[in-house]
Amino acid sequence: MTTTLITGANKGLGYETARQLAGAGHTVYLGARDADLGRRAAGQVGARFVHLDVTDDASVAAAAKMIEADGGLDVLINNAGLEGRTPDNVVIGPADETAAHMQALFDANVFGMVRMLHAFLPLLLRSAAPVVVNLSSGLSRTADLAYPASKTAVNTLTVQYAKAFPGIKINAVDPGYTATDLNGRTGIQTVEQGAEIIVRMAQLGPDGPTGGYFAARGRLTW
């Protein structure tokens, strides 16, 4: 049975991905910062809850130790992330961007992914068919600065990790503009539609691609 960990999975695309993969027979670890919300979500989809904050080294290390003790990991889905809108759901443009805000966003979207890979690569390397799916984005609005930049970094790192670890299928995906709390539910597609490419890439076989960037319609260039 395939064992899969999804970060930031108590709602939105992470939750829907957990629901679909649990339904497909995966043993799913649902990672969340909020323990109450995480446990509730895990119970709803038939997953196992793991307390996990990707911006905290100790939290990531503890999650890795727990999953290793339970038997290991086959699939890692780096879903947790921030977009960083204002309280009234306005995208922060270049004129209002600050180093502190951008640093917090990169800590979740980029460095959080690096923390996860650093901690879980030893487990993935023991798997017979390891897979990593990194959440990227096709978002390229001129009003936004930090979020697209962070996702460009995700794409770059995905390629480099794939080169360094050819035995692991490591890809980035663009789920499309999905209505979630991340964007104030302004997205134009459902979480079921958005999760489709994540679920598909999480189930790659040994002959699947690596080091690529994919959307529902196929491979993307960037």
Side-chain angles (χ1 to χ4, degrees):
M1 183 177 291
T2 301
T3 300
T4 300
L5 168 61
I6 308 168
T7 65
N10 62 282
K11 62 181 179 179
L13 285 167
Y15 177 88
E16 178 59 22
T17 300
R19 187 189 70 81
Q20 291 191 28
L21 288 176
H26 286 221
T27 296
V28 175
Y29 284 92
L30 186 151
R33 291 184 299 176
D34 187 300
D36 291 337
L37 294 177
R39 288 192 182 93
R40 187 178 309 132
Q44 290 169 347
V45 300
R48 302 178 184 181
F49 169 67
V50 56
H51 190 251
L52 181 57
D53 179 352
V54 301
T55 68
D56 182 82
D57 289 336
S59 175
V60 172
K65 187 173 294 186
M66 169 189 160
I67 292 174
E68 180 179 26
D70 283 351
L73 187 69
D74 302 300
V75 179
L76 171 61
I77 301 176
N78 286 308
N79 168 74
L82 302 173
E83 186 179 4
R85 298 187 180 208
T86 66
D88 53 350
N89 202 40
V90 174
V91 172
I92 298 172
D96 298 313
E97 190 60 79
T98 66
H101 170 260
M102 202 164 185
Q103 184 176 26
L105 193 145
F106 266 67
D107 197 23
N109 297 359
V110 181
F111 306 138
M113 182 187 77
V114 173
R115 284 187 188 92
M116 291 297 298
L117 285 164
H118 180 74
F120 284 92
L121 275 168
L123 277 66
L124 290 165
L125 289 168
R126 298 174 201 162
S127 170
V131 171
V132 175
V133 181
N134 297 323
L135 268 287
S136 186
S137 173
L139 190 64
S140 57
R141 288 172 293 177
T142 56
D144 201 349
L145 177 67
Y147 186 72
S150 74
K151 293 305 184 179
T152 297
V154 166
N155 290 351
T156 300
L157 289 168
T158 296
V159 172
Q160 295 306 110
Y161 275 108
K163 289 178 180 178
F165 299 96
I168 306 176
K169 303 301 180 184
I170 305 175
N171 294 286
V173 299
D174 170 18
Y177 194 32
T178 305
T180 67
D181 288 351
L182 185 78
N183 54 46
R185 301 198 169 275
T186 57
I188 60 174
Q189 65 179 16
T190 66
V191 288
E192 290 83 3
Q193 292 171 314
E196 190 275 334
I197 185 60
I198 309 172
V199 171
R200 189 198 315 171
M201 298 306 289
Q203 299 182 93
L204 284 181
D207 296 329
T210 192
Y213 177 35
F214 296 87
R217 63 185 181 273
R219 185 185 283 268
L220 302 173
T221 57
W222 58 278

